[in-house]
Amino acid sequence: HVQLVESGGGSVQAGKSLTLSCTASGYSWTRIAMGWFRQGPGKEREVVAVVDDDGITKYTESVKGRFTISKGNGKNTAHLEMNNLSVEDTAMYICAAESSLMWNGLKTDFGYWGQGTQVTVS
């Protein structure tokens, strides 16, 4: 079965940077889309950034220019580089994956999810 393992969360001061990583395994797709979502305290889960197997990326408006999503060389890893973090970025960050056949940019219907990694900005 598909497994997603996230790493890289932590606590940082506002203005600093963090990079999250997510590695997918156990899937049978030949092409994989991945994404990062977040859920802040008392908020609904929201999409942050997504990347298709070809490296096409989409970002939610609030992170454009600050966050960068990219695929690793093996394409089953997605990194989220987060710069100039603000308190509003505090959330549980959750990795998602799906076959590239389901790619629809920020509206991709991801079916597989990681456990999440906490990012706290103060």
Side-chain angles (χ1 to χ4, degrees), residues 1-74:
H1 63 282
V2 180
Q3 286 190 308
L4 300 173
V5 178
E6 301 112 328
S7 62
S11 297
V12 296
Q13 292 182 327
K16 299 296 185 180
S17 301
L18 271 179
T19 297
L20 308 180
S21 296
C22 173
T23 299
S25 62
Y27 59 92
S28 58
W29 318 307
T30 55
R31 295 165 60 82
I32 180 172
M34 299 182 75
W36 283 97
F37 290 69
R38 67 186 178 186
Q39 186 164 15
K43 298 180 180 180
E44 293 187 356
R45 187 174 64 192
E46 64 170 346
V47 62
V48 176
V50 296
V51 58
D52 195 11
D53 197 79
D54 294 328
I56 297 171
T57 59
K58 300 291 183 183
Y59 299 90
T60 196
E61 198 63 35
S62 63
V63 307
K64 285 181 180 179
R66 299 189 300 123
F67 290 12
T68 302
I69 189 171
S70 61
K71 283 284 199 76
N73 288 336

Side-chain angles (χ1 to χ4, degrees), residues 93-122:
Y93 283 72
I94 307 159
C95 178
E98 187 52 79
S99 164
S100 281
L101 293 175
M102 300 294 290
W103 174 255
N104 191 22
L106 292 176
K107 296 182 179 180
T108 300
D109 187 14
F110 289 95
Y112 300 91
W113 301 85
Q115 294 297 310
T117 184
Q118 180 66 37
V119 172
T120 302
V121 185
S122 60

